[in-house]
Amino acid sequence: MDTQTPLLEAKNLSIAYSTRSGPLNAVINFNMTLHKGDSIGIVGESGCGKTTVLLALMNYLGKNGIITSGDIFFKGKSLLSMSQQELTDIRGNQISMIYQEPMSALNPCLTIGKQLFEVLAFHSNLSPSEAQERTIETLHDVRLPEPEHIMTCYPHQISGGQQQRIVIAMALLSRPTVLLLDEPTTALDVTVEYGIIKLINSLKQKYGSSMIYISHNMGLIRQTCEDLIVMYSGHAVETGKTKDVFSKPSHPYTQGLLKCIPSPAHEPSERPLSPIKGQLPPANDRPKGCFFGPRCHFFKEGLCDNPNGIPLEKTPFHPNHFSRCARTHELEKLEQPPTPKAATRASSSTQDTHPLLSIQNIKKNYHVQQSLFSSLSSSKTKTIKANNDISLSVYKGQIVSIVGESGCGKTTLAKLILGLEKPSSGSISFDNQNISDLSVRTRDTSLISHLQMIFQNPNETLNPSLSVGYQITRAVRKFNPQLSKKDARKKAFKLFDMVSLSPQIFFNRLPMHLSGGQKQRIGISRAFAGSPSLVIADEPVSALDVSVQSSVIELLHKLQLNENCSLLVISHDLSLVRYLSDFVVVMYLGHIMESGPVRDIFSPPFNPYTEALLAAVPIADVSISKRDDIVLEGNLPSPFNPPKGCPLSSRCHRFIEGLCDTTPPPTQKISDVHSITCHIPIDTLKSQPPIFTTNPNQNNQKETKS
Amino acid sequence: MSAPTSSLTKLFRILKDIASSPFGFLGLFLTLFWIFVAIFAPLLAPFSPTELIQPLVKPLSYTKNGQLLILGSDHIGRDVLSRIIHGTRPVLFWSIFATFPAYFIGSSLGLAAGYYKKSTDTILSFIANLILSFPVLVLYLIIIVYLGPSGSNIVVAITFASSPAIFRIVRALTLDIAGRDFINAAQIRGESSLYILFIEILPNAKGPLIVDFCLRVGYTAITIGVLGFLGLGLPPPSPDWGSMINSGRPFALFMPHMVIFPCIAISSFVLGLNLLADEINHINSRI
Amino acid sequence: MLLFLSKRLGLLLLTVLATSFIVFAVLELDVDTVAVKVLGGYSTQEQRALWLEENGYNRLFITRYAEWLSNFVQGDFGYSTRFKRPVGDFFWNYLGMTAILAGITMAIVVPLALTFGILSGMKETSLLDRVLSFICIISTSVPEFASVILFSFIFVFTLGILPGTSSMIQGFSWKELVLPVLVLVVYDFGYIARITRASMVEVMHTSYVRTAILKGMPFKRVVTVHALRNALIAPVTAIFLQFPWLLSGVVVVEIAFAYKGIGHLLLEGALYHDISLIEMCTVVAVIVVVLTQLIADIICMFLNPRIRFS
């Protein structure tokens, strides 16, 4: 094979799915060339066609996927004309894939060893002992401890992060020339994700595989790929070197996306979010000309709605940088959309002396019964300490965020406040009333309507069998029993207006006819149905697409200011937290690791956990450089068996043997409001450099890859 | 857009959806056919089901009086076709209405067990499993023998035997639905348990329940047939299909039409329901 | 794992005990009806009272249950008023006959249904799938009494190659087994095949099957190694849950073909109000059902490592 032949090439590829209502074009006229050693990132929001492209590259589109035009070549040979046998020989051997959800990608009934072995059995001529050797070597490469032991395990016996390493090892076993990665870290926690990303980068160098990485996260692509394709509604709208595209985004969609991402390195006032208006057009009803047209600030009639479509054209910045915009060349001269004014928030944290919500030394233990019989012999019950000595206060008009990864106990805390669970000890008072023993059933209407919640998953927050109008009216009537039916309906209409959804259009719709962002807005309006004074928002935007996220964040901000209520935001996303909150509490395994005003949390001194969380945030902004020397090793400990001493001691990069693993750390006060729970002296922590450094000169920025 | 028209158009759309596949169409056709026959039985039947015309006439033959008996007559001279047509009424009526109390009890307890969990669930599930470990027919025999064969006793027997199965289905669905956020949302706005169970949870379980309903009506029709076949069916002169087969069996050797046609009737009715259930299940899983 | 088993075993005992109590309560709580059933409708009030006194029926209900239970456990199953013999004398022969019938049926149904289900679920909506699915749905729709009539009509009356009854008066005969087994197989296999198909379809849509295909495994291996084992978990439970059905189905077939099994006994007992016989049949039926469920649990445990190692 001569070096000129690309490894993998998609030419004018169009893919449609046949549905009952006719074919839907998922990918339109897609071109891509992958040479040896290349790494291409495909980025886009859900429904843009990126996963379809990836599956097509394996010629695996399921029953109803059809390649309507174009072709795919692997080492110069058309994949589409290959026989089943030829495909089987290539799949898993020359091209392998790493999947989104490792738990479901592994067969629950076969041991990991068996699942790894068969790759070599079918794709190599290695002897069993050589195969064994190769497998163990690969497991070492993905940094799994005790490979021999892990091979005898079943997938459910190991953690999510380990499962993902197995999936990666499985893909690497046959030393493939092309590696396809389908959002390989989406199901994982931030710190685990960071470890996997570093691993992928180092393996890329070691094995010299070419790779195609798809993700919705621009920051991850920046950390892993040299080249970038931005997709929107089935089209590649911008392609080029990753650094070129990110430093000179030339398509209004790319520009918009980058402006939607909250930055953990900036004050919100320096870098306000500007959401993209509107939403992705449905695949059977795309606009004429530029698909992004209706959402674009620069839309020009007669030019952007050209019925022949808009071609992918060279940008003025770099010969390999293309953009599918009719106004590419004049874009720089055009007036940018007005940046929304940064939300000016009076930092009200110290105005009131009395907190609205005050949590004192809350503990919550769950007793997990193994079975009916072991409950008879009570000694066998296991205890999970979901919340361990948590204290925090929320003042009127303040936004407090609780940050932590899965299993840190943040959701339990929300349940305790809302009265869905009772604390094992400690007290919660709201508006000077002790509510810790009041379950939600015994709370009166006024207390209930003052304490509401916004849920994480837009698909679960609304009842699928009731119209959204009914659901909002029901909440209004529940919180304001004095209102007549007519007035309640009026108020519900107002709530729809408040979250910018037209009640005339949406009131009678079932949730399934709403997009994710719209459902989330309805969920938010429901929480505000009774003029609440505290709203708990559990990961309010984590399930939404980037462009929708920012508008929902804006909405939350606006409502909080207008209604003058307090927000308690629960999130794993530090960028969001920095953007949204006044005060931050960092939790790990049921313990508070650090708490303080938002500015103090994002600058040294850090608790080592906060430091690691910050270092793990993927950054798309090329003007920011990030320290990359901090990685939390290993996995979250089992909640049944937390480490003695400091909860972080099993993973901490600043671990002190003989101290951290034996003695619980003290809580050290840095100021009245900022405290860190750690053994390391404050002065040492203070001397740490900041995680992010801003480099105002964007053009000669330094890459921050490992 | 007013509610009644929208639900009618919705029903129409669903029926169209079902009929768009050949099996779905066949299922819908057979089911609607038998419902139609049951409703208009007196108009459709050429004779009274109890009228003694002439014994043992073969199908498509004429009696001495020149009357055409399309499906022949039975051993005491009643028209088989008329008896089958009239037989749709007790069979459809009892097989549909006998399942209602079972659904009421099964779903209520299933909702309670799935929502409250803990000891409520343990106890109710144990009772359900207890009843389920009796072979169904044993249960029927004991109940029917002790209470005597009659329509209402069939209802008792079916309720007793079917409720635990429905309980299990609803319980599993409730366990799943009760963990969703909209239930939490209802709890934290202070809704009563009854509201949550019947307005928030139950409507979301309707898809699988409709499928189960179609299947269960079919099984109930078979059960009523089996009881008739064993001589424990609805008391005469009510012409249920199982009893027709039972009384015709001694003559099956030389007059097979007396038993074959009722067999075809019940099989096609159950087949229709099964195909319908299959297609609805298919549509549910697609959404 | 041992804990799991002992737990199941405990539950099993509890179930059998509870059901036996229910059966006993239903049949013998009201002593007057017991007397009527034993002595007949024409007995006088005095005769009944005397009989009740003589047989200890005037004692507390719980005492009577305890005595009945201890007799039962020791092998004294009571006296059959219909057969005028102790139940234990003839019951086991009938049970053996039913076991033969059920055993042969399952030996045919299980491989047949699994093959049908796997072939049809492996390639959803293919022509093969449609044909097999339709056959299965017909199998579940035709009641046994209808297939009894149909098969008798074909094989006995028209072709004349099989006997119409299976009473086995002249000793055991394989030929007489054919029709009962055929009816039960047709009645049963469609249901299991449909469950297998549904399970197979679901598994073929999972990510791990996609992983196996994209790992470059041949389709045959994908089906036999990756899909099959997962897809068998649901049908195994269904197959063993079929036993209560099979026991019910057996009644119709045994009556229709005059086959001397426990279905026959049960109907006789029920029609003639033979209390001891009904009690015996029911308790044994429940024990069979519960035991088969235990076996199903154990097999599932071996198929599903998530249960085995939890």
Side-chain angles (χ1 to χ4, degrees):
Chain A
M1 189 186 79
D2 69 298
T3 45
Q4 293 309 308
T5 317
L7 276 177
L8 199 56
E9 192 178 17
K11 268 192 183 153
N12 303 326
L13 186 65
S14 292
I15 304 165
Y17 286 105
S18 63
T19 65
R20 284 166 84 86
S21 49
L24 288 181
N25 295 316
V27 175
I28 302 156
N29 208 5
F30 181 84
N31 287 291
M32 186 200 71
T33 314
L34 182 80
H35 288 280
K36 191 163 170 26
D38 280 1
S39 52
I40 301 181
I42 303 179
V43 80
E45 297 176 280
S46 53
C48 72
K50 56 189 192 299
T51 307
T52 307
V53 168
L54 206 64
L55 290 174
L57 294 178
M58 285 256 207
N59 194 2
Y60 180 79
L61 283 169
K63 271 192 304 286
N64 51 355
I66 313 146
I67 293 180
T68 50
S69 72
D71 208 339
I72 302 162
F73 299 95
F74 177 68
K75 294 185 176 168
K77 192 164 183 239
S78 163
L79 264 178
L80 303 185
S81 57
M82 280 185 195
S83 70
Q84 203 60 41
Q85 184 57 48
E86 284 173 288
L87 279 176
T88 315
D89 287 342
I90 288 181
R91 288 171 179 167
N93 186 19
Q94 310 234 38
I95 310 178
S96 343
M97 186 150 170
I98 295 169
Y99 307 89
Q100 193 173 119
E101 306 232 348
M103 180 66 190
S104 54
L106 293 171
N107 193 326
C109 280
L110 300 176
T111 59
I112 286 164
K114 201 168 176 188
Q115 296 186 55
L116 291 171
F117 252 2
E118 65 178 1
V119 176
L120 292 175
F122 278 83
H123 292 310
S124 74
N125 304 319
L126 298 180
S127 71
S129 63
E130 285 170 324
Q132 171 87 10
E133 209 172 293
R134 165 87 69 94
T135 312
I136 288 174
E137 183 198 326
T138 315
L139 288 177
H140 269 300
D141 284 345
V142 297
R143 288 177 215 141
L144 275 168
E146 302 176 74
E148 286 89 351
H149 169 69
I150 277 193
M151 280 164 71
T152 64
C153 289
Y154 287 91
H156 72 276
Q157 293 172 306
I158 59 176
S159 75
Q162 288 175 324
Q163 285 167 355
Q164 192 57 288
R165 284 166 198 264
I166 294 289
V167 171
I168 294 172
M170 194 188 282
L172 291 172
L173 267 179
S174 57
R175 309 292 184 251
T177 38
V178 179
L179 207 53
L180 306 178
L181 298 98
D182 177 13
E183 308 239 17
T185 59
T186 308
L188 306 175
D189 274 321
V190 212
T191 53
V192 181
E193 167 181 273
Y194 190 48
I196 298 277
I197 292 296
K198 294 202 118 185
L199 176 71
I200 289 171
N201 280 331
S202 69
L203 292 173
K204 191 173 69 186
Q205 304 209 320
K206 176 167 178 191
Y207 289 96
S209 306
S210 318
M211 66 178 210
I212 298 172
Y213 189 119
I214 68 172
S215 178
H216 64 280
N217 189 323
M218 316 260 286
L220 286 181
I221 297 287
R222 181 184 170 220
Q223 287 176 344
T224 46
C225 299
E226 301 279 340
D227 297 273
L228 176 67
I229 298 173
V230 181
M231 285 189 78
Y232 181 76
S233 191
H235 264 154
V237 291
E238 185 164 356
T239 67
K241 290 277 163 215
T242 307
K243 57 174 198 287
D244 294 335
V245 176
F246 279 164
S247 53
K248 279 275 178 213
S250 304
H251 191 281
Y253 175 64
T254 321
Q255 295 175 349
L257 269 187
L258 286 168
K259 281 185 195 155
C260 281
I261 308 170
S263 157
H266 292 90
E267 288 288 311
S269 52
E270 294 169 32
R271 188 68 63 94
L273 299 183
S274 47
I276 303 176
K277 64 181 180 193
Q279 51 182 313
L280 192 77
N284 54 3
D285 188 25
R286 293 193 174 105
K288 248 192 334 190
C290 178
F291 295 162
F292 189 61
R295 302 177 72 182
C296 184
H297 175 74
F298 306 105
F299 182 76
K300 194 172 168 190
E301 250 173 89
L303 181 68
C304 296
D305 52 2
N306 182 353
N308 299 325
I310 313 289
L312 203 57
E313 275 183 69
K314 206 171 271 184
T315 63
F317 309 114
H318 193 278
N320 280 330
H321 187 176
F322 293 84
S323 165
R324 195 184 290 274
C325 178
R327 309 184 76 184
T328 307
H329 291 274
E330 46 176 335
L331 212 53
E332 242 192 334
K333 290 165 223 128
L334 294 173
E335 195 188 332
Q336 290 290 316
T339 23
K341 249 182 40 206
T344 43
R345 301 182 38 76
S347 63
S348 52
S349 49
T350 47
Q351 283 176 357
D352 280 328
T353 45
H354 234 74
L356 177 69
L357 175 81
S358 166
I359 296 175
Q360 300 290 338
N361 308 95
I362 277 289
K363 284 185 182 174
K364 175 67 184 173
N365 302 331
Y366 287 104
H367 301 285
V368 180
Q369 281 176 6
Q370 292 300 85
S371 67
L372 188 73
F373 284 85
S374 64
S375 71
L376 296 177
S377 54
S378 58
S379 59
K380 276 190 182 170
T381 54
K382 288 183 172 178
T383 305
I384 297 179
K385 292 180 178 168
N387 280 174
N388 217 329
D389 207 15
I390 302 289
S391 301
L392 71 96
S393 301
V394 180
Y395 292 88
K396 195 163 172 50
Q398 200 185 24
I399 303 184
V400 174
S401 291
I402 301 175
V403 190
E405 298 173 283
S406 56
C408 75
K410 51 196 172 143
T411 306
T412 304
L413 192 62
K415 283 187 173 167
L416 294 177
I417 298 170
L418 291 164
L420 294 174
E421 306 262 357
K422 277 186 185 171
S424 309
S425 70
S427 78
I428 304 171
S429 70
F430 179 74
D431 216 1
N432 296 325
Q433 183 189 1
N434 185 354
I435 58 166
S436 34
D437 288 328
L438 284 182
S439 82
V440 71
R441 273 171 221 289
T442 54
R443 294 183 178 185
D444 60 26
T445 311
S446 124
L447 179 58
I448 279 178
S449 63
H450 278 106
L451 202 51
Q452 277 302 304
M453 176 152 180
I454 297 163
F455 296 92
Q456 171 176 18
N457 187 342
N459 295 321
E460 283 195 1
T461 185
L462 299 175
N463 190 328
S465 23
L466 301 171
S467 79
V468 290
Y470 170 84
Q471 297 188 52
I472 298 306
T473 319
R474 176 83 194 175
V476 170
R477 282 173 68 84
K478 204 76 202 169
F479 298 150
N480 311 281
Q482 77 286 356
L483 285 185
S484 71
K485 248 194 168 128
K486 216 175 131 197
D487 288 340
R489 200 180 152 90
K490 256 191 212 158
K491 165 107 187 169
F493 267 60
K494 267 195 202 143
L495 285 166
F496 272 71
D497 284 328
M498 200 166 92
V499 294
S500 319
L501 290 175
S502 154
Q504 279 77 21
I505 298 172
F506 289 101
F507 200 80
N508 286 319
R509 286 199 186 173
L510 286 175
M512 62 186 255
H513 297 122
L514 268 63
S515 73
Q518 289 166 342
K519 283 184 222 172
Q520 202 60 349
R521 281 165 186 272
I522 297 286
I524 290 171
S525 80
R526 181 177 57 196
F528 282 88
S531 320
S533 38
L534 174 68
V535 173
I536 298 174
D538 183 4
E539 306 269 11
V541 297
S542 69
L544 303 175
D545 272 321
V546 192
S547 71
V548 184
Q549 261 183 17
S550 54
S551 64
V552 172
I553 297 173
E554 284 302 314
L555 174 71
L556 271 178
H557 236 155
K558 193 185 87 191
L559 288 177
Q560 187 268 334
L561 278 177
N562 292 350
E563 305 279 312
N564 192 27
C565 73
S566 312
L567 272 183
L568 184 63
V569 179
I570 294 172
S571 180
H572 69 280
D573 183 352
L574 279 164
S575 321
L576 169 71
V577 163
R578 171 146 213 193
Y579 187 76
L580 202 55
S581 33
D582 301 315
F583 194 85
V584 179
V585 176
V586 182
M587 281 179 75
Y588 183 77
L589 273 189
H591 294 258
I592 292 185
M593 306 303 284
E594 179 169 4
S595 67
V598 67
R599 243 172 256 196
D600 297 347
I601 296 289
F602 284 79
S603 53
F606 298 115
N607 179 293
Y609 181 60
T610 319
E611 191 177 43
L613 269 182
L614 277 171
V617 179
I619 307 283
D621 190 331
V622 282
S623 67
I624 299 169
S625 312
K626 187 174 81 175
R627 277 174 64 192
D628 63 353
D629 54 340
I630 304 155
V631 191
L632 283 191
E633 295 296 337
N635 300 287
L636 207 69
S638 155
F640 290 112
N641 191 15
K644 286 195 183 76
C646 176
L648 190 66
S649 58
S650 62
R651 298 175 69 196
C652 187
H653 53 284
R654 303 196 188 287
F655 175 65
I656 305 168
E657 211 178 331
L659 178 65
C660 295
D661 52 355
T662 52
T663 324
T667 300
Q668 314 184 54
K669 283 222 169 258
I670 289 100
S671 68
D672 279 354
V673 282
H674 185 197
S675 56
I676 290 177
T677 305
C678 187
H679 283 295
I680 301 167
I682 294 294
D683 292 332
T684 320
L685 291 176
K686 267 187 184 158
S687 65
Q688 291 299 315
I691 303 290
F692 305 108
T693 41
T694 325
N695 187 348
N697 190 353
Q698 292 190 4
N699 288 328
N700 46 15
Q701 42 76 41
K702 236 178 68 198
E703 281 288 293
T704 53
K705 285 188 302 178
S706 55
Chain B
M1 182 167 81
S2 64
T5 50
S6 79
S7 63
L8 255 182
T9 49
K10 222 168 104 184
L11 182 71
F12 185 72
R13 215 177 42 233
I14 292 169
L15 290 182
K16 225 177 101 185
D17 223 19
I18 294 171
S20 66
S21 96
F23 287 160
F25 178 79
L26 183 62
L28 198 62
F29 171 77
L30 287 174
T31 314
L32 291 179
F33 171 77
W34 285 115
I35 292 175
F36 175 83
V37 170
I39 293 172
F40 297 104
L43 299 175
L44 294 170
F47 301 98
S48 149
T50 49
E51 188 188 336
L52 305 178
I53 306 163
Q54 182 185 330
L56 303 172
V57 177
K58 298 221 164 182
L60 290 175
S61 309
Y62 290 89
T63 61
K64 288 172 216 146
N65 304 336
Q67 296 153 309
L68 174 68
L69 300 186
I70 298 170
L71 300 182
S73 68
D74 69 5
H75 57 294
I76 52 170
R78 297 169 297 194
D79 180 35
V80 171
L81 177 64
S82 303
R83 284 181 69 73
I84 289 179
I85 290 175
H86 278 276
T88 48
R89 287 194 153 184
V91 173
L92 263 70
F93 180 83
W94 289 116
S95 51
I96 291 171
F97 287 96
T99 49
F100 280 156
Y103 272 95
F104 180 73
I105 295 172
S107 340
S108 312
L109 296 180
L111 282 170
Y115 184 65
Y116 294 113
K117 304 187 185 102
K118 297 186 180 143
S119 55
T120 319
D121 184 26
T122 315
I123 294 166
L124 287 175
S125 292
F126 181 74
I127 295 174
N129 287 337
L130 210 62
I131 302 176
L132 280 174
S133 50
F134 283 98
V136 194
L137 205 65
V138 174
L139 218 57
Y140 288 136
L141 283 179
I142 293 177
I143 292 171
I144 297 293
V145 163
Y146 266 73
L147 301 177
S150 77
S152 50
N153 287 342
I154 286 182
V155 175
V156 173
I158 305 253
T159 308
F160 205 69
S162 293
S163 320
I166 297 163
F167 165 86
R168 276 189 164 183
I169 298 172
V170 176
R171 175 184 168 272
L173 289 167
T174 307
L175 276 174
D176 174 30
I177 297 167
R180 312 247 178 106
D181 283 342
F182 61 84
I183 300 299
N184 282 327
Q187 284 170 342
I188 59 175
R189 67 169 186 264
E191 297 287 4
S192 69
S193 301
L194 274 185
Y195 178 87
I196 292 178
L197 289 180
F198 287 98
I199 310 284
E200 297 274 351
I201 296 180
L202 192 58
N204 290 304
K206 68 174 184 283
L209 281 183
I210 290 172
V211 174
D212 182 70
F213 179 75
C214 291
L215 293 174
R216 202 161 293 282
V217 168
Y219 288 139
T220 312
I222 291 184
T223 306
I224 294 174
V226 166
L227 291 174
F229 180 80
L230 296 177
L232 296 167
L234 300 167
S238 160
D240 83 89
W241 296 337
S243 306
M244 282 174 78
I245 298 168
N246 182 39
S247 64
R249 238 165 41 92
F251 309 92
L253 182 56
F254 52 99
M255 287 280 155
H257 68 268
M258 282 172 59
V259 285
I260 294 272
F261 293 116
C263 282
I264 293 174
I266 188 160
S267 303
S268 64
F269 176 55
V270 179
L271 177 67
L273 284 167
N274 282 350
L275 287 173
L276 195 62
D278 219 32
E279 194 56 34
I280 296 174
N281 198 14
H282 215 72
I283 292 171
N284 279 346
S285 64
R286 209 168 46 221
I287 295 171
Chain C
M1 196 167 109
L2 270 174
L3 184 86
F4 175 79
L5 272 184
S6 56
K7 209 175 87 181
R8 298 296 308 184
L9 215 64
L11 213 60
L12 184 152
L13 274 175
L14 200 62
T15 309
V16 174
L17 216 61
T19 45
S20 76
F21 182 78
I22 293 169
V23 173
F24 189 79
V26 168
L27 297 174
E28 301 199 23
L29 186 60
D30 183 4
V31 290
D32 290 330
T33 40
V34 175
V36 174
K37 277 169 187 162
V38 173
L39 301 176
Y42 300 108
S43 52
T44 63
Q45 199 63 49
E46 290 78 34
Q47 284 174 316
R48 291 177 200 164
L50 191 69
W51 184 85
L52 286 174
E53 184 56 48
E54 277 178 2
N55 290 281
Y57 274 88
N58 290 341
R59 289 173 298 162
L60 261 179
F61 171 70
I62 289 295
T63 329
R64 286 191 287 128
Y65 172 69
E67 187 189 81
W68 174 81
L69 189 67
S70 82
N71 284 343
F72 199 93
V73 172
Q74 287 163 28
D76 174 7
F77 309 112
Y79 185 81
S80 161
T81 50
R82 165 72 179 151
F83 290 82
K84 308 269 183 266
R85 274 190 289 165
V87 173
D89 283 5
F90 58 93
F91 183 82
W92 303 112
N93 281 335
Y94 281 81
L95 185 66
M97 291 303 277
T98 299
I100 292 172
L101 187 57
I104 296 177
T105 305
M106 284 319 249
I108 298 172
V109 162
V110 171
L112 187 72
L114 291 184
T115 317
F116 263 57
I118 290 161
L119 285 179
S120 125
M122 171 177 99
K123 281 193 174 158
E124 201 193 352
T125 67
S126 64
L127 184 67
L128 182 71
D129 174 33
R130 280 168 196 275
V131 172
L132 294 183
S133 292
F134 194 64
I135 295 175
C136 295
I137 212 163
I138 287 185
S139 147
T140 52
S141 304
V142 178
E144 301 148 284
F145 55 81
S147 43
V148 164
I149 303 277
L150 185 76
F151 291 134
S152 302
F153 183 68
I154 297 173
F155 296 108
V156 183
F157 305 140
T158 311
L159 300 175
I161 49 172
L162 288 171
T165 55
S166 314
S167 51
M168 307 206 177
I169 299 165
Q170 277 109 39
F172 186 81
S173 148
W174 286 103
K175 214 172 173 183
E176 292 185 16
L177 260 177
V178 176
L179 272 184
V181 167
L182 187 63
V183 169
L184 284 175
V185 167
V186 167
Y187 170 71
D188 232 32
F189 95 94
Y191 177 72
I192 297 177
R194 276 159 61 80
I195 288 181
T196 314
R197 175 189 179 272
S199 175
M200 193 71 191
V201 166
E202 199 188 314
V203 169
M204 289 305 282
H205 280 284
T206 56
S207 307
Y208 55 80
V209 165
R210 188 182 71 175
T211 308
I213 293 173
L214 294 186
K215 245 176 5 182
M217 295 298 119
F219 189 68
K220 217 172 119 190
R221 185 174 169 86
V222 172
V223 171
T224 53
V225 175
H226 288 268
L228 201 56
R229 199 160 154 187
N230 290 287
L232 279 182
I233 295 169
V236 162
T237 318
I239 289 167
F240 285 95
L241 275 178
Q242 271 310 84
F243 275 92
W245 273 97
L246 196 64
L247 279 170
S248 302
V250 154
V251 178
V252 171
V253 170
E254 289 182 357
I255 300 301
F257 295 109
Y259 187 89
K260 298 256 185 297
I262 64 162
H264 197 84
L265 284 187
L266 188 67
L267 187 69
E268 292 270 302
L271 290 176
Y272 295 95
H273 303 286
D274 189 337
I275 293 175
S276 295
L277 191 53
I278 300 178
E279 283 166 354
M280 182 68 183
C281 289
T282 326
V283 172
V284 168
V286 170
I287 291 176
V288 169
V289 169
V290 177
L291 270 180
T292 49
Q293 277 165 13
L294 183 74
I295 298 171
D297 282 340
I298 294 172
I299 295 182
C300 273
M301 211 165 68
F302 277 100
L303 285 175
N304 190 348
R306 268 170 296 188
I307 305 179
R308 208 181 331 150
F309 298 103
S310 62

